[in-house]
Amino acid sequence: MRIAQLFLMAIIFVLLWFALHHRSSTEARAFRRIAFLGLAFLIILAVIFPGTLTAIANTFGIGRGADLVIYLVAIGLLFFSVSTYLKFGDMDRRITLLSRHIALLESKGDIGRVDPDELPKP
Amino acid sequence: MPNPGNSQILLENSDTVIVVPVFSEAPVIASVIDELAQYFPNIYCVDDGSADGSGEIAADAGARVIWHPMNFGQGAALQTGIEAGLENPEIKYFVTFDGDGQHSPTDALEMVRTLRAQEFDVVFGSRFLDERTELTAAKRVVLKLAVSYTNALTGLKLTDAHNGLRAFNRNVASWINLSHNGMAHATEIVNQISKGDFRYCERPVHIVYTDYSKAKGQSLWNSVNILFDLILR
């Protein structure tokens, strides 16, 4: 196996682990921002100096700079989907808890019933 | 209307809450409530954002209805009903009962009687313990895979993990906290109970697959979603 393959797979596993365990921590936010800036920097670099990127790619055993960008974008996309999926799950849970609290208050007659038609439509 | 011959049973069951999660069951919910009301005085319907007036029908049929303002899924609806029951200190036993008419109230009655003997904290319904329930081969295979997965995960030994009919006492009701919004709650309930060191058993129940419940029931594809939900959370 080539260095690039090992390296990319290692990145995927580290990111997945990170997404699952540190989803709302300060480190995770900082990490996401660094990754975002890094990717943006790489893309700019690729546009201005296509040759440099290929040189970097070659040191990892990847033939072309464009391929390196594709791999990194694929990893970024995977990371983004997982963390978004988890984030939506967390949000769902919070909305559910809030709604349950309201529903129980309503059913005891403490407050009036929420009319679903009055809720903002998504 | 309750049958006067059952007044003794009704009185006896005043310490029991039947939690019925309801999502768009307008054609059948009234008869489900009517049948339950023969034996159980406390029926808590959790209307999970139905758009077809199921909640109003259930309220007219005599159930206490708790309204979710949006659809949150069956697990969330069960949790809401359980919490409503816990608010009443008189309640000792809880039964979860599907709103689509596939369960039998007499099975629920038997399960509560089992709990009253104080030997068990939880009674799970199983459709595989007798020959009453008729299943298609595909459904049988998927349910068996699901139960193998649940048993491997929890260390419990059940024959039917995805059965909506369950009965448990107040200790278990306070212990469970269902957070899954999707259908994965069936596994989640079993998982949480396994961590609480409760005494459990299974009782045979009859699942009636009517054309209505078959049309409404889960597609087998949903087992893929459930598995995904359980792994990634």
Side-chain angles (χ1 to χ4, degrees):
Chain A
M1 210 181 266
R2 287 185 304 164
I3 311 169
Q5 289 169 315
L6 282 173
F7 181 69
L8 284 167
M9 278 199 286
I11 293 183
I12 290 174
F13 284 117
V14 169
L15 285 179
L16 272 179
W17 178 82
F18 207 79
L20 288 167
H21 290 274
H22 297 276
R23 41 184 124 140
S24 56
S25 66
T26 317
E27 299 98 296
R29 256 186 302 145
F31 185 83
R32 270 200 293 273
R33 279 156 201 187
I34 293 170
F36 174 76
L37 287 178
L39 202 62
F41 180 72
L42 257 179
I43 292 167
I44 293 170
L45 203 71
V47 173
I48 305 177
F49 311 106
T52 330
L53 208 60
T54 302
I56 298 174
N58 284 336
T59 61
F60 289 113
I62 299 170
R64 296 186 312 162
D67 289 344
L68 176 66
V69 173
I70 288 176
Y71 295 155
L72 289 177
V73 168
I75 292 171
L77 189 67
L78 183 71
F79 181 62
F80 177 77
S81 337
V82 172
S83 61
T84 308
Y85 178 86
L86 292 171
K87 204 174 194 163
F88 273 120
D90 287 344
M91 213 145 73
D92 262 357
R93 272 187 272 277
R94 296 194 321 187
I95 295 173
T96 309
L97 288 179
L98 179 65
S99 307
R100 173 173 303 133
H101 189 73
I102 295 171
L104 289 173
L105 285 178
E106 277 171 11
S107 81
K108 282 187 288 184
D110 290 356
I111 52 170
R113 190 185 151 197
V114 174
D115 180 353
D117 295 333
E118 281 176 17
L119 289 178
K121 291 281 170 277
Chain B
M1 277 289 107
N3 174 348
N6 285 339
S7 58
Q8 187 57 40
I9 298 177
L10 280 166
L11 193 66
E12 193 179 277
N13 284 331
S14 59
D15 59 356
T16 304
V17 154
I18 310 290
V19 177
V20 186
V22 179
F23 178 57
S24 299
E25 308 281 8
V28 292
I29 190 63
S31 72
V32 171
I33 307 286
D34 280 344
E35 283 177 36
L36 278 168
Q38 305 281 319
Y39 310 99
F40 299 99
N42 306 311
I43 302 165
Y44 290 8
C45 271
V46 182
D47 183 293
D48 195 22
S50 304
D52 62 352
S54 298
E56 284 82 358
I57 298 172
D60 286 343
R64 174 182 169 191
V65 179
I66 302 155
W67 310 84
H68 277 180
M70 299 174 247
N71 180 252
F72 293 120
Q74 206 176 6
L78 288 174
Q79 183 65 28
T80 301
I82 291 168
E83 287 182 19
L86 284 169
E87 284 180 355
N88 179 351
E90 311 272 301
I91 299 301
K92 293 187 188 135
Y93 304 109
F94 296 73
V95 176
T96 66
F97 197 95
D98 285 357
D100 61 2
Q102 63 169 318
H103 294 319
S104 139
T106 49
D107 283 339
L109 192 63
E110 278 310 311
M111 290 163 80
V112 174
R113 283 188 175 141
T114 304
L115 286 178
R116 285 189 196 285
Q118 305 292 334
E119 266 179 73
F120 299 103
D121 303 302
V122 194
V123 184
F124 294 101
S126 171
R127 72 200 96 183
F128 295 113
L129 290 180
D130 62 18
E131 302 300 316
R132 284 182 291 169
T133 303
E134 288 165 25
L135 287 155
T136 61
K139 190 139 190 152
R140 188 175 287 269
V141 168
V142 169
L143 285 166
K144 279 294 170 195
L145 282 175
V147 79
S148 313
Y149 173 78
T150 305
N151 285 347
L153 185 79
T154 62
L156 263 52
K157 287 187 183 64
L158 297 175
T159 58
D160 186 4
H162 286 254
N163 195 312
L165 184 50
R166 320 166 184 88
F168 41 86
N169 64 20
R170 202 177 169 89
N171 288 342
V172 177
S174 330
W175 174 266
I176 331 186
N177 183 14
L178 302 174
S179 62
H180 257 309
N181 280 5
M183 276 302 296
H185 70 274
T187 303
E188 196 181 21
I189 290 183
V190 178
N191 193 23
Q192 291 185 356
I193 287 172
S194 74
K195 290 188 174 128
D197 197 27
F198 294 109
R199 301 162 303 165
Y200 69 95
C201 67
E202 283 188 305
R203 286 289 175 268
V205 300
H206 183 198
I207 308 283
V208 186
Y209 292 107
T210 58
D211 288 339
Y212 174 80
S213 75
K214 269 187 267 182
K216 239 214 118 188
Q218 296 187 64
S219 139
L220 289 177
W221 284 108
N222 204 26
S223 44
V224 176
N225 298 336
I226 291 175
L227 200 63
F228 200 71
D229 278 350
L230 287 168
I231 294 168
L232 201 62
R233 48 177 308 193

